[in-house]
Each structure stands twice: as structure tokens, then as C-alpha cells.
């Protein structure tokens, strides 16, 4: 069978066919890589969107904590000014204390 094929085809034709096959394989690989890159770009964009939303929520939480701290201090000052003594604060967890230490208030 090989002898019959070899009689009809030249080595140059075989090399050309090999080049075409390799070129087609490379094109398929490039397409796969392109799709993978697009998928990764979408994931990065989604991650950036999530990060932005989380940062916004954190900023809102910081603002709410600052407002609550100021309000508590105002109420304590009002109670003391009225001649009373505010109740003792409940124990605070170390985690909550770290949050309050980072607060700008």
C-alpha cells in the first residue's frame, strides 16, 4: 500500500500536507487559547466588580460604625450631664475592639 502511495506522491507533496496539518492544529490551539483568555478576562472583570461592591459595603459599614460611636458618646454625655451614670458596657470581643481601633472616630 505504501509503495503505491509513494509512487503517486512526491516527498514535497507529503511535506506540504504535513505543514497543512500542523497549521490546522496550531490554528485550533490558538482558538482554544483565545477562548481561554476571554474566559479569564471575564472572570477578572467579575472579580473586580465584586471587589468594588465589597469596598463600597465596607465604606458604608465604616460610616455606620462611626455614626453609632458618635451617637453613643453623645448619649453618654447627655446622661452624665443630666446627673445620671450610664450603664456599664458589656464586654467586647477582641475582633470588635480591632474594628473600633481602626475607626476614624
Amino acid at each position: 500500500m505504501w509503495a503505491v502511495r509513494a509512487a503517486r506522491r512526491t516527498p514535497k507533496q507529503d511535506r506540504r500536507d504535513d505543514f497543512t496539518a500542523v497549521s490546522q492544529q496550531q490554528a485550533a490551539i490558538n482558538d482554544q487559547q483565545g477562548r481561554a483568555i476571554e474566559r479569564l478576562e471575564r472572570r477578572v472583570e467579575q472579580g473586580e466588580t465584586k471587589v468594588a461592591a465589597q469596598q463600597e459595603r465596607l465604606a458604608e459599614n465604616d460610616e455606620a460604625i462611626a455614626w453609632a460611636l458618635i451617637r453613643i458618646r453623645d448619649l453618654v454625655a447627655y446622661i452624665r450631664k443630666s446627673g445620671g451614670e450610664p450603664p456599664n458596657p458589656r464586654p467586647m470581643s477582641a475582633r470588635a475592639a480591632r474594628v473600633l481601633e481602626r475607626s476614624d472616630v
Side-chain angles (χ1 to χ4, degrees):
M1 178 87 167
W2 186 80
V4 173
R5 183 169 189 258
R8 291 186 308 197
R9 297 182 56 86
T10 65
K12 190 174 185 179
Q13 288 174 321
D14 286 338
R15 283 194 300 275
R16 186 174 54 234
D17 290 345
D18 290 343
F19 177 77
T20 303
V22 168
S23 297
Q24 289 172 350
Q25 289 174 348
Q26 188 62 39
I29 290 171
N30 288 343
D31 288 344
Q32 288 175 345
Q33 288 175 340
R35 286 192 302 272
I37 288 171
E38 289 172 0
R39 191 171 47 250
L40 290 172
E41 286 174 345
R42 280 194 307 272
R43 288 178 62 190
V44 167
E45 288 173 7
Q46 290 171 350
E48 288 173 346
T49 302
K50 286 179 183 179
V51 166
Q54 288 175 348
Q55 287 176 339
E56 182 65 26
R57 275 196 302 269
L58 286 173
E60 291 170 352
N61 289 344
D62 285 346
E63 191 171 332
I65 289 170
W67 180 87
L69 286 172
I70 292 170
R71 181 69 179 148
I72 290 169
R73 288 179 184 162
D74 288 346
L75 290 173
V76 168
Y78 178 78
I79 291 171
R80 286 192 176 140
K81 187 177 176 183
S82 300
E85 189 61 33
N88 291 331
R90 287 195 264 167
M92 184 182 301
S93 69
R95 206 169 160 186
R98 284 193 304 270
V99 170
L100 293 178
E101 286 172 7
R102 289 191 306 256
S103 166
D104 291 337
V105 178

